[in-house]
Amino acid sequence: MPLDPVHFDGITRHARRIGTAVDDREQRAFAQTVWEEFLDPLVDGDGQVVVEPLADQALWAVDIETAALQATPYEQVYGLDSGTINPTAFKNGIVLDVAQAALGGVPSTLETHRKRTLVTAVHADQPSMISPREEQLDGGNATNILLAAPQISRFEETVVHELALYLAESTHALNYLPATTDLFVLDGPVYPKGMLNWASRDPELEDLLYEYQGPRDVIGNYLAMVEEALEADRPLVGFVKNPSTKALTRTLADQTDVDWVDDTALFIRLLEDVSYTRVRDADGDEQMLRERDTDHLTYTNWFRSRGGADRLIAETALGLDRAHEPTAYEVTFFVVYDPRVDVLYRVEAPYGVTADPDHRQTITRWVLSEIAAHRGPPQAIQKADTLARIDTDNADALKGALEEEFSADQHIDYNHLRWGETKHR
């Protein structure tokens, strides 16, 4: 039964009261204090540096129209993304996911857009029944990989999803990165954060990172990707559309009271330019009106990151071999806030790239120009996203074909029927 208008009015009246009780200005002032007093560098309780500025710590703003009209510093940009059908369980005990990786070029290159890497990651009760293999499709334009996932008693869907997603992305990058020029951008972090987070999620998942070849091969691919970029002197960037890191806020929580659920909330408080006016509504309740400046992109300096999953790369890289000094692989980042859509983006690159101030400046200028011009992620990322995405109809059709091949239906529950996640067959 839907909510009636009177119910909506009652709930929103509570929201106005809550909004008045929580003084947004105090939170913004505290964020400024954190910025000025805690981040140069931010050190945890064990004396380990979590983040530190690469150069001078500063908050910047640029006029959106001016940024959009800047000439691009890169003649050719390649964006890389991967998408999946989402983990699917079948009644014969198989759990699998299928991923597709693709490159988007700006300017467009149809030959590049045709290239694909497909990965099917499979968890089965009897691993020996899965014979890993790799084959070429579409006249050599597509690589088709079958991968047996490690045996695990829980988290099967997590394992097949992230193995398929990250193996497709990293394999595609290694196959085509050597032939690209100018700038290579990943849709997401520079490293497979979802997989690296296994180390802190559960002991059984953590064991996979150290004991099983599949996950280690995936992470090794990303290290090799960084090495390829460094040796070709080609900038490698990760554009994170939905950053969810908590390395700063978790560390700060041990030192002071914090009001933010994650690092994104902290940075938005710092970068959002707002003014306030107090008024009274028709019921006489005081209400705070906020007006946000939407004419400028705001952004931070670059930071070196050693918090959360980034620490694994900075310290040991899980014991995997590295051809360069360990610091070259460390994650560096800056964040950009677009007030037109109220969204924060995180931009990453390995320290081997951003140690050069000219590289940092050029990447920053390009990112700002792309966000300003396209009101969102860079055009190359948007193209890659479109090419790699497996839409619902395709995913449903593929799952139906797999049911026929397995002679086994998908394992579904009532929620699948209620929310239409899987068509009933």
Side-chain angles (χ1 to χ4, degrees), residues 223-411:
L223 297 175
M225 191 191 316
V226 171
E227 291 166 0
E228 176 68 34
L230 295 181
E231 288 158 14
D233 193 26
R234 181 176 307 123
L236 173 68
V237 173
F239 189 91
V240 186
K241 294 180 288 192
N242 298 293
S244 57
T245 57
K246 296 185 177 183
L248 276 70
T249 45
R250 282 175 176 165
T251 305
L252 288 166
D254 293 333
Q255 303 175 33
T256 184
D257 293 330
V258 297
D259 299 314
W260 311 291
V261 296
D262 57 20
D263 300 350
T264 293
L266 166 60
F267 282 120
I268 287 178
R269 279 287 182 265
L270 284 166
L271 293 171
E272 185 185 31
D273 185 4
V274 295
S275 58
Y276 304 88
T277 305
R278 285 188 179 274
V279 298
R280 292 192 178 275
D281 62 19
D283 298 318
D285 291 329
E286 194 175 64
Q287 185 178 359
M288 180 78 76
L289 296 182
R290 306 168 79 253
E291 184 174 355
R292 182 169 60 235
D293 172 73
T294 57
D295 294 330
H296 297 82
L297 297 178
T298 49
Y299 59 103
T300 68
N301 57 281
W302 285 82
F303 288 91
R304 189 197 303 252
S305 175
R306 300 190 189 95
D310 294 342
R311 178 166 291 176
L312 284 177
I313 296 298
E315 292 181 349
T316 65
L318 303 172
L320 294 166
D321 292 336
R322 290 176 282 184
H324 298 269
E325 289 297 319
T327 55
Y329 301 84
E330 291 187 9
V331 175
T332 64
F333 75 94
F334 79 102
V335 295
V336 185
Y337 176 69
D338 186 345
R340 298 169 297 179
V341 290
D342 192 24
V343 169
L344 185 98
Y345 304 107
R346 173 173 160 129
V347 181
E348 296 186 356
Y351 180 67
V353 171
T354 56
D356 183 336
D358 290 337
H359 278 331
R360 290 201 302 272
Q361 183 178 15
T362 305
I363 293 169
T364 302
R365 190 169 80 249
W366 175 80
V367 168
L368 295 172
S369 177
E370 288 287 306
I371 293 174
H374 301 291
R375 200 181 178 90
Q379 188 178 10
I381 289 294
Q382 295 188 37
K383 285 189 177 182
D385 179 86
T386 300
L387 291 167
R389 185 185 305 126
I390 304 174
D391 63 31
T392 302
D393 288 342
N394 264 311
D396 282 341
L398 181 55
K399 290 175 183 179
L402 292 171
E403 285 181 324
E404 293 182 7
E405 295 294 336
F406 291 149
S407 297
D409 292 337
Q410 295 176 55
H411 176 76

Side-chain angles (χ1 to χ4, degrees), residues 27-251:
Q27 291 188 1
R28 288 172 54 81
F30 182 53
Q32 190 65 37
T33 298
V34 167
W35 174 261
E36 294 171 355
E37 298 180 6
F38 286 86
L39 301 185
D40 187 13
L42 177 63
V43 179
D44 66 17
D46 297 324
Q48 299 286 330
V49 172
V50 177
V51 297
E52 62 179 344
L54 285 188
D56 293 338
Q57 184 178 328
L59 302 174
W60 305 90
V62 61
D63 179 78
I64 289 175
E65 184 175 351
T66 300
L69 295 175
Q70 289 187 88
T72 179
Y74 302 110
E75 292 184 8
Q76 183 71 52
V77 179
Y78 296 88
L80 173 63
D81 193 17
S82 59
T84 80
I85 66 171
N86 289 325
T88 306
F90 295 86
K91 292 180 180 178
N92 60 1
I94 287 176
V95 181
L96 62 74
D97 202 353
V98 179
Q100 170 181 236
L103 276 175
V106 178
S108 293
T109 55
L110 296 182
E111 183 180 354
T112 298
H113 291 180
R114 186 177 176 181
K115 306 293 186 184
R116 294 288 191 277
T117 297
L118 306 170
V119 174
T120 303
V122 183
H123 181 280
D125 292 334
Q126 298 177 350
S128 59
M129 66 183 288
I130 309 300
S131 299
R133 65 181 300 166
E134 179 176 322
E135 62 188 11
Q136 298 300 307
L137 308 175
D138 189 21
N141 285 294
T143 300
N144 187 31
I145 299 171
L146 174 63
L147 175 70
Q151 193 69 16
I152 192 169
S153 62
R154 298 177 296 154
F155 310 110
E156 298 94 340
E157 293 190 353
T158 295
V159 171
V160 297
H161 175 67
E162 292 179 357
L163 272 175
L165 185 77
Y166 292 129
L167 182 62
E169 179 179 83
S170 60
T171 300
H172 206 67
L174 289 178
N175 283 342
Y176 299 107
L177 179 58
T180 61
T181 58
D182 291 357
L183 179 65
F184 198 90
V185 188
L186 302 175
D187 187 346
V190 170
Y191 297 105
K193 293 284 180 68
M195 185 176 288
L196 290 170
N197 282 329
W198 293 359
S200 57
R201 183 173 172 184
D202 183 89
E204 189 173 11
L205 287 173
E206 183 181 16
D207 287 345
L208 298 185
L209 295 177
Y210 290 92
E211 297 179 6
Y212 286 86
Q213 199 59 42
R216 294 180 67 77
D217 285 345
V218 169
I219 296 167
N221 282 352
Y222 283 87
L223 297 175
M225 191 191 316
V226 171
E227 291 166 0
E228 176 68 34
L230 295 181
E231 288 158 14
D233 193 26
R234 181 176 307 123
L236 173 68
V237 173
F239 189 91
V240 186
K241 294 180 288 192
N242 298 293
S244 57
T245 57
K246 296 185 177 183
L248 276 70
T249 45
R250 282 175 176 165
T251 305

